[in-house]
Amino acid sequence: MIPKQVGFLGATAAIIFGGFVTLNVASTITLGALRAASEAKRKKFAMPCGVCKGKGFYICKLCKGNATIEWSPLYDPVFINPCLCPTCEGNRVQRCLNCLGKGFD
């Protein structure tokens, strides 16, 4: 048998924990809805980004859209190896750093 005090303590802890979980879920949903509404309003009235022209991405400036760069260890002109571009990771485009990929300022 479980003593009466331990059962009461367990029930109280479950109620408090359930309240915290409920508050956490409710606040997460509310903050997400407020963030989405704010973002939609900002996007509606904001000017498009001047760097990426509203796309959010532009051609990689390091590899110039080739997905690879020519790299040689210790600047050795004999051994030039094609390597995956570290900036775009082979995707040929990179996220606009001015608007962080949103497409507007």
Side-chain angles (χ1 to χ4, degrees):
M1 293 293 294
I2 298 175
K4 191 174 184 180
Q5 292 85 7
V6 175
F8 178 74
L9 184 62
T12 304
I15 290 171
I16 291 173
F17 181 72
F20 282 138
V21 168
T22 303
L23 285 174
N24 187 15
V25 169
S27 65
T28 301
I29 291 170
T30 303
L31 287 175
L34 289 173
R35 186 177 298 125
S38 169
E39 194 72 24
K41 185 177 180 182
R42 185 180 304 148
K43 188 173 186 176
K44 183 177 180 181
F45 295 111
M47 297 293 293
C49 177
V51 177
C52 66
K53 312 234 180 339
K55 293 180 182 176
F57 295 90
Y58 51 79
I59 294 175
C60 180
K61 292 183 179 181
L62 183 63
C63 68
K64 295 176 182 53
N66 292 328
T68 59
I69 58 170
E70 293 183 358
W71 178 79
S72 65
L74 303 175
Y75 302 107
D76 186 7
V78 176
F79 297 107
I80 297 176
N81 300 326
C83 295
L84 191 65
C85 179
T87 303
C88 66
E89 296 177 348
N91 294 324
R92 300 172 192 246
V93 293
Q94 65 185 54
R95 183 184 303 181
C96 179
L97 298 177
N98 186 46
C99 65
L100 299 176
K102 294 181 180 177
F104 55 90
D105 288 329

